[in-house]
């Protein structure tokens, strides 16, 4: 049940063996609790903590029990958390990150099946997937987001460094500043100034559109087409960009024509 | 009165965090407030130099955190201002020697004795920044009117908001009014439009600031320049007073007038 793939952990094997010996030498009852709640895997990027079903408070307690019992062993590791179905809020992730740092562990990614947990992690600047997506993770995404259905509302300005990925539509009530990125399988609608990088129809939907009150993205992508924004002449006006005959075209939003 | 913790940060390096920290802290101490500055830039400390206290360092922040000395022993009292103290950073260690909760504990210990605790953050968004921002009551983001600095300020503001520290306040440093007038430099309005946070101060580019930093005498103490006045104004604003922003546009003077006339004629 406990998976520690040591060669990829970066710890020496001797250390690892002694860890196994100590760990399994402990009483059956304690082991059961830990193994039930949190699993640990060694991955290319460091350690992956997998939460089991249940609420976050229990998972957190099990995690810190495990960490505090083997402080020297974990010290300095990079940690990714897979919360699976457990929903974790922004504040909770933040306090987890801080508490882990006291044990010299760095939380750098939170994987989750819950969109709100993903968004919370992204707001904190944490990764929500590994660079090379794992197969089961992609499947997890597909099972939650139905094609073209569902949207996420981001009720704030996305500043430089934020990256939002969503397998549906993304609506932003605020600006998207230069240096921010939105990748959506569906449409992207920005009620504000759009100056960052956006990719609508990221999974190949050529019908996807990008709308903004002031459409000035650093780079605009729809499906597999990429365009830079020409310097605007005159006053900003609401515009919509879409693909027409394979060409990326931005047109002023005009309600009368619709 | 328990102290307010003010973290001065920027993301990008070299925009004037340390100079601003030293000057605002000195201005407040000069008004009679009790002020302590903590240099959180472990490994690349500078605040001691700008305050002119480098040669008096015995213990530092890491010594306090690791229990090699008492907090009092690491606090250096300024020679000019009896109400100004500095806790210097260690020069021979790195950011990981201190954790965010260490900083919170340290500030909680200092709070009852002071009116203001200033933390000079290192550049970057990594551990050093996290340490500096953890105990902050008020975060002050400082930027230059340059695209790269503003971009980094935007990133930093996002990170501060994500830490739920409340909206940061902005200082725009090293403004060159002549260049702004010619359209060669971002104006304060341009910067504010993008960053959308409350303005705390506008500081013009000024040679006197550099000279005084090299000498270790904060310009805000008795400097006559507009930059010195700008730092003092920021100190007043932090104390809750309403002080109008410097009218940087009017600095043209005689040559400015001629320049404008020539441009008009030429254009």
């Amino acid at each position: 049940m406990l998976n520690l793939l040591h060669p990829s952990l970066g710890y020496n094997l001797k250390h690892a063996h002694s860890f196994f010996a100590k760990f399994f030498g402990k009483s059956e009852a304690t082991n059961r609790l830990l193994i039930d709640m949190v699993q640990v895997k060694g991955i290319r990027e460091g350690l992956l903590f997998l939460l089991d079903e249940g609420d976050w408070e229990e998972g957190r307690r099990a995690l810190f029990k495990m960490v505090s019992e083997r402080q020297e062993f974990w010290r300095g590791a990079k940690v990714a958390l897979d919360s699976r179905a457990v929903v974790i809020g922004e504040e909770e992730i933040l306090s987890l990150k801080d508490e882990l740092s006291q044990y010299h562990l760095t939380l750098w990614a939170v994987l989750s099946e819950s969109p709100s947990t993903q968004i919370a992690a992204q707001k904190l600047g944490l990764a929500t997937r590994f660079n090379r997506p794992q197969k089961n993770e992609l499947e997890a995404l597909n099972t939650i987001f139905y094609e073209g259905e569902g949207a996420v509302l981001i009720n704030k300005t996305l500043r430089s460094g934020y990256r939002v990925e969503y397998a549906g539509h993304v609506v932003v009530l605020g600006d998207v500043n230069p240096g921010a990125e939105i990748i959506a399988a569906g449409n992207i609608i920005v009620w504000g100034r759009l100056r960052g990088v956006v990719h609508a129809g990221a999974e190949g939907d050529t019908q996807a559109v990008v709308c903004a009150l002031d459409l000035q993205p650093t780079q605009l992508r729809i499906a597999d087409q990429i365009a830079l924004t020409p310097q605007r002449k005159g006053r900003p006006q609401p515009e919509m960009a879409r693909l027409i005959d394979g060409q990326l075209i931005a047109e002023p939003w005009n309600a009368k024509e619709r | 009165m328990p102290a307010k913790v003010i973290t001065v940060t920027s993301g990008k390096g070299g925009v004037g965090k340390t100079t601003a920290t030293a000057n605002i802290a000195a201005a407040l101490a000069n008004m009679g407030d009790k002020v302590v500055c903590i240099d959180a830039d472990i490994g690349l400390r500078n605040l001691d130099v700008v305050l002119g206290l480098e040669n008096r360092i015995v213990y530092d922040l890491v010594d306090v955190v690791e229990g090699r000395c008492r907090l009092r022993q690491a606090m250096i009292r300024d020679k000019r201002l009896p109400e100004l103290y500095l806790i210097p950073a260690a020069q021979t260690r790195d950011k990981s020697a201190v954790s965010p909760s260490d900083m919170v504990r340290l500030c909680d210990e200092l709070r009852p004795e002071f009116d203001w605790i200033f933390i000079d953050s290192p550049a970057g968004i990594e551990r050093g920044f996290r340490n500096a921002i953890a105990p902050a009551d008020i975060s002050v983001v400082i930027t230059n009117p340059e695209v790269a600095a503003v971009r980094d300020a935007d990133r930093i503001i996002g990170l501060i908001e994500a830490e739920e520290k409340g909206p940061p306040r902005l200082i725009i440093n090293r403004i060159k009014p002549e260049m702004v007038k010619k359209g060669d430099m971002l104006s304060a309005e341009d910067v504010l439009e993008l960053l959308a946070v409350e303005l705390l101060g506008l500081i013009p580019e000024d040679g006197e600031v550099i000279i005084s930093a090299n000498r270790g005498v904060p310009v805000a103490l008795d400097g006559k320049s507009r930059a010195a006045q700008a730092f003092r104004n920021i100190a007043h604003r932090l104390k809750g007073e309403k002080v109008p922003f410097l009218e940087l546009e009017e600095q043209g003077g005689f040559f400015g007038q001629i320049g404008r006339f020539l441009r008009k004629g030429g254009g």
Side-chain angles (χ1 to χ4, degrees), chain B residues 73-94:
Chain B
Q73 292 175 289
M75 288 165 57
I76 304 169
R77 181 191 279 224
D78 189 275
K79 46 190 183 270
R80 300 150 299 228
L81 299 162
E83 306 292 357
L84 180 62
Y85 290 83
L86 168 71
I87 299 177
Q91 185 69 331
T92 52
R93 301 288 293 274
D94 63 43

Side-chain angles (χ1 to χ4, degrees), chain A residues 90-91 94 97-98 101-102 104 123-125 156-162 175 177-179 193 195, chain B residues 96 99-101 105 127 130 151-152 154-159 161-164 193-197:
Chain A
E90 198 172 325
E91 263 176 57
L94 191 64
K97 191 164 182 282
D98 192 47
S101 82
Q102 292 172 34
H104 304 278
K123 279 187 186 169
L124 294 172
K156 62 182 251 179
T157 288
L158 290 177
R159 295 185 181 274
S160 174
Y162 280 103
D175 296 344
N177 284 356
R193 292 181 292 236
R195 293 170 178 178
Chain B
S96 63
S99 78
S101 29
R105 276 193 295 275
R127 179 64 167 272
R130 301 274 167 199
R151 188 71 51 88
D152 290 358
D154 189 45
R155 175 93 165 101
I156 283 289
I157 293 167
L159 292 171
E161 286 172 349
E163 300 254 350
E164 308 201 327
E193 190 206 28
L194 183 82
L195 297 180
V197 289

Side-chain angles (χ1 to χ4, degrees), chain B residues 74-170:
Chain B
M75 288 165 57
I76 304 169
R77 181 191 279 224
D78 189 275
K79 46 190 183 270
R80 300 150 299 228
L81 299 162
E83 306 292 357
L84 180 62
Y85 290 83
L86 168 71
I87 299 177
Q91 185 69 331
T92 52
R93 301 288 293 274
D94 63 43
K95 304 329 184 225
S96 63
V98 174
S99 78
S101 29
D102 289 333
M103 291 297 287
V104 172
R105 276 193 295 275
L106 184 75
C107 287
D108 285 345
E109 203 176 323
L110 290 166
R111 247 181 243 269
E113 295 180 49
F114 287 92
D115 299 310
W116 305 96
I117 301 171
F118 278 83
I119 301 175
D120 183 19
S121 163
I125 55 174
E126 296 83 14
R127 179 64 167 272
F129 164 72
R130 301 274 167 199
N131 287 342
I133 209 71
D137 297 319
I138 301 171
S139 31
V140 172
V141 173
I142 181 156
T143 188
N144 294 157
E146 294 164 22
V147 173
V150 172
R151 188 71 51 88
D152 290 358
D154 189 45
R155 175 93 165 101
I156 283 289
I157 293 167
L159 292 171
I160 292 168
E161 286 172 349
E163 300 254 350
E164 308 201 327
K165 286 287 177 193
R169 301 176 70 180
L170 185 74

Side-chain angles (χ1 to χ4, degrees), chain B residues 26-72:
Chain B
L28 282 165
N30 208 19
M31 294 174 197
D33 285 5
K34 290 201 77 178
V35 185
V36 57
C37 300
I38 304 174
D39 191 347
D41 201 349
I42 301 164
L44 288 169
R45 71 177 177 208
N46 284 145
L47 188 55
D48 52 325
V49 179
V50 175
L51 284 170
L53 302 172
E54 187 182 16
N55 56 5
R56 293 169 54 192
I57 296 175
V58 180
Y59 293 109
D60 58 47
L61 178 61
V62 177
D63 291 324
V64 176
V65 167
E66 294 181 351
R68 276 188 298 275
C69 71
R70 282 175 292 110
L71 181 55
R72 275 276 156 204

Side-chain angles (χ1 to χ4, degrees), chain A residues 69-90:
Chain A
E69 281 175 3
R70 291 277 171 274
Q71 291 191 30
E72 280 312 307
F73 179 77
W74 305 113
R75 184 178 272 268
K78 282 182 74 188
V79 173
L81 176 74
D82 187 348
S83 82
R84 299 196 190 167
V86 181
V87 178
I88 315 178
E90 198 172 325

